[in-house]
Amino acid sequence: MMSKQFYFVIALAIIVVGFLLFMLPFEHIYHDGRGLELKVQQLIRQKKQKDLQLALKQYEIETLKGRQQQRLPAALESNKMIIFAQSKLSEIKTLFNQGKCNEVVDMAQAFEQKYSFHEKLAEVILLKADCYYRNREYELALLTFAKLIDAYPEAIETALAILKMAEILQILGRDDESFEILKIIERHFVDQKEILNLARELANKIGRKL
């Protein structure tokens, strides 16, 4: 006969097996619940990351828009200044052609102060110097032509300024100085045939030859 201890072990085993069978569905639910929790956490992380990316993108858009809005007024202001300068230059030329030299000098001086960056500033200085010449203010004309030559040695107007200086020096009876300046034209402006021919004519007037 089997002992009581044997029956006790069998009964205990049955109880354990029954308990495990009873807990099996709950274990499944536990694992499913844990998986669902992980899935939810993953979705939350993805949403946070997406929201962060959208926020950064919006920040970039707003920052770029702000920079563009800052640059736009400056660009418009610069464009207005260029257009206004062109208008003033046209007015100075018109006055010069009309022989209104006093007005040309005043406007040219204002133009120099306000539009020192302008690409046509050499032309404005030349017109002012030529007006001094027309008004027989020879010393002022010489100084202004010299200023043009010093500031814009490569400008188209430079050769004409040198020629005008030579002519003024002849008027003032300073023929030797005039001829020295004319030789500069011969050496450095041989490609400007018209200016070179005028320089030779001036040299002939004082009995010199280039």
Side-chain angles (χ1 to χ4, degrees):
M1 292 183 65
M2 296 183 180
S3 65
K4 290 181 179 181
Q5 187 177 6
F6 174 76
Y7 286 113
F8 177 76
V9 172
I10 295 297
L12 184 60
I14 291 170
I15 290 170
V16 172
V17 171
F19 178 76
L20 291 174
L21 290 172
F22 175 77
M23 290 298 297
L24 186 60
F26 293 97
E27 181 72 12
H28 177 69
I29 291 171
Y30 170 78
H31 285 299
D32 285 350
R34 181 61 179 164
L36 181 61
E37 182 183 352
L38 292 172
K39 184 65 174 176
V40 170
Q41 289 177 352
Q42 183 182 4
L43 289 172
I44 290 172
R45 284 197 300 269
Q46 289 176 350
K47 186 176 186 305
K48 286 182 177 179
Q49 187 177 10
K50 187 176 181 181
D51 289 344
L52 178 61
Q53 289 174 346
L54 287 173
L56 288 173
K57 187 66 176 177
Q58 186 64 29
Y59 174 76
E60 289 176 2
I61 291 171
E62 292 298 328
T63 302
L64 180 60
K65 188 187 297 183
R67 288 174 181 171
Q68 289 175 339
Q69 288 174 348
Q70 288 175 353
R71 284 197 294 263
L72 186 59
L76 289 173
E77 190 64 30
S78 178
N79 202 29
K80 285 180 183 178
M81 185 174 286
I82 291 171
I83 293 171
F84 191 72
Q86 287 297 121
S87 173
K88 286 295 179 183
L89 178 59
S90 297
E91 191 175 349
I92 291 170
K93 288 180 178 180
T94 300
L95 291 170
F96 181 82
N97 292 331
Q98 292 172 351
K100 298 178 180 179
C101 276
N102 291 334
E103 294 177 50
V104 169
V105 169
D106 291 340
M107 288 192 66
Q109 287 174 340
F111 190 96
E112 284 182 72
Q113 292 174 1
K114 192 169 184 178
Y115 306 108
S116 58
F117 63 90
H118 202 280
E119 61 180 358
K120 295 291 185 180
L121 186 57
E123 184 178 357
V124 172
I125 297 172
L126 180 67
L127 293 175
K128 182 175 74 169
D130 214 344
C131 272
Y132 285 135
Y133 170 77
R134 288 184 181 184
N135 287 343
R136 298 184 180 182
E137 298 177 78
Y138 297 128
E139 294 298 335
L140 280 175
L142 283 173
L143 288 172
T144 308
F145 282 128
K147 175 184 176 181
L148 169 61
I149 295 164
D150 182 60
Y152 303 97
E154 304 297 326
I156 295 173
E157 293 81 7
T158 298
L160 185 56
I162 294 172
L163 184 69
K164 284 288 187 179
M165 287 185 72
E167 186 176 351
I168 291 169
L169 289 169
Q170 285 188 17
I171 292 170
L172 296 175
R174 295 155 63 178
D175 292 349
D176 291 339
E177 293 175 67
S178 173
F179 186 63
E180 290 302 317
I181 288 178
L182 291 173
K183 286 194 288 187
I184 294 173
I185 294 176
E186 183 188 34
R187 286 195 299 268
H188 299 288
F189 298 95
V190 290
D191 55 328
Q192 297 192 35
K193 300 298 183 183
E194 185 177 352
I195 297 293
L196 185 58
N197 288 334
L198 290 171
R200 285 169 177 162
E201 289 178 13
L202 281 176
N204 290 336
K205 283 183 179 180
I206 55 175
R208 312 288 175 90
K209 186 176 181 180
L210 288 177

